[in-house]
Amino acid sequence: EPEPLADVHGARVLAILADSVTTDHISPAGSIKRDGPAGAYLVEHQVRPQDFNSFGARRGNHEVMMRGTFANIRLKNELAPGTTGGVTRYMPEGTPMSIYDAAMKYGRAGVPLIVFAGKEYGTGSSRDWAAKGTVLLGVKAVVVESFERIHRSNLVGMGVLPLQFQGSATRHGLKLDGTETFDVTGVAECIKPRMIVKLIIRRQDGRGESIDLLCRIDTLDEVEYYRHGGILPYVLRGLLKAA
């Protein structure tokens, strides 16, 4: 049986991204940089740089692919202005580091993660690794102005909450700087299609505020996928019950 549903508590923001972030921004298919987390992993495993090939060619290796998540050289994270290529700041220290390294450090500390973005998040090809890599980094929720249809569905299928701003609310209006912590509440009580959940923001100076978000789990089937932690556990549990 799946674990009971739980709200998200004490999350940190991993990345704040702009409009029209594509699945290639989230999970690139191009060449692997030697000085990035994926390149460092391959070197540690005696792979010569001339044999790195591309993320597309190594998509069967989750160790490489999770290190390549949010590592596109054109990705700009508003948490780390003036940088490109998958850089963030680890909080509360504010230390610059790769998104992968920060995510692993947060994971070891038991800190869940949130990604914020603008309009049309997940456009482009329906790349499954864009959702797989997201969940492997420990991201529990993605909060945006609008989703591309298939990527939204893929996030649910990986057990990640797709949350959407309402009305005129945007990431800009929240004036986030990365020092905040976040709770997402309302999930543990009862999850149903297109329900409203609360995002509670706790500022470094002690101020708190909350906003309503639309949960883009759109169908009853998707409720079941999310309740099981993703579509794969859902299918496996179904097979066990039928055995």
Side-chain angles (χ1 to χ4, degrees), residues 47-53:
V47 179
R48 299 175 302 171
Q50 58 265 40
D51 297 326
F52 279 3
N53 212 313

Side-chain angles (χ1 to χ4, degrees), residues 7-237:
D7 292 335
V8 179
H9 292 288
R12 291 279 186 182
V13 57
L14 183 64
I16 303 176
L17 308 173
D19 295 340
S20 301
V21 171
T22 70
T23 51
D24 188 61
H25 285 115
I26 304 167
S27 184
S31 60
I32 299 172
K33 293 197 305 180
R34 180 171 183 168
D35 60 351
Y41 172 83
L42 290 171
V43 168
E44 287 170 9
H45 288 77
Q46 290 78 53
V47 179
R48 299 175 302 171
Q50 58 265 40
D51 297 326
F52 279 3
N53 212 313
S54 66
F55 285 111
R58 292 189 178 271
R59 67 191 305 276
N61 185 331
H62 76 278
E63 295 286 1
V64 171
M65 296 302 290
M66 64 192 289
R67 285 165 172 80
T69 304
F70 297 112
N72 186 298
I73 59 172
R74 292 177 294 278
L75 185 80
K76 294 181 180 179
N77 183 0
E78 294 170 8
L79 276 185
T83 68
T84 58
V87 180
T88 192
R89 288 186 298 134
Y90 179 82
M91 295 298 180
E93 295 89 341
T95 309
M97 63 179 67
S98 74
I99 284 178
Y100 170 79
D101 289 336
M104 295 302 102
K105 194 170 181 179
Y106 282 125
R108 289 190 293 272
V111 177
L113 299 172
I114 292 181
V115 169
F116 289 89
K119 299 181 181 71
E120 299 175 342
Y121 182 79
T123 59
S125 61
S126 56
R127 194 167 295 170
D128 56 349
W129 263 109
K132 292 178 186 177
T134 297
V135 73
L136 287 173
L137 292 185
V139 175
K140 300 298 183 184
V142 177
V143 183
V144 305
E145 293 175 56
S146 63
F147 288 97
E148 189 278 333
R149 177 179 59 87
I150 297 175
H151 184 63
R152 180 207 60 80
S153 178
N154 286 346
L155 287 172
V156 178
M158 288 292 111
V160 178
L161 274 173
L163 304 176
Q164 192 166 317
F165 290 113
Q166 296 198 100
S168 59
T170 68
R171 72 194 188 283
H172 296 307
L174 297 179
K175 294 182 169 56
L176 305 176
D177 61 13
T179 61
E180 306 85 1
T181 60
F182 305 88
D183 296 345
V184 178
T185 63
V187 175
E189 298 169 12
C190 175
I191 192 160
K192 54 188 177 182
R194 299 182 70 88
M195 67 184 287
I196 300 299
V197 301
K198 283 200 178 295
L199 177 71
I200 300 169
I201 306 163
R202 294 185 172 86
R203 309 279 181 179
Q204 193 175 33
D205 61 8
R207 290 180 299 124
E209 62 185 278
S210 69
I211 63 169
D212 289 342
L213 299 173
L214 175 65
C215 179
R216 289 297 312 280
I217 295 177
D218 288 353
T219 68
L220 289 173
D221 282 343
E222 288 182 345
V223 167
E224 286 302 296
Y225 300 157
Y226 183 77
R227 192 174 70 82
H228 281 264
I231 195 167
L232 182 58
Y234 169 81
V235 170
L236 291 174
R237 288 184 180 118

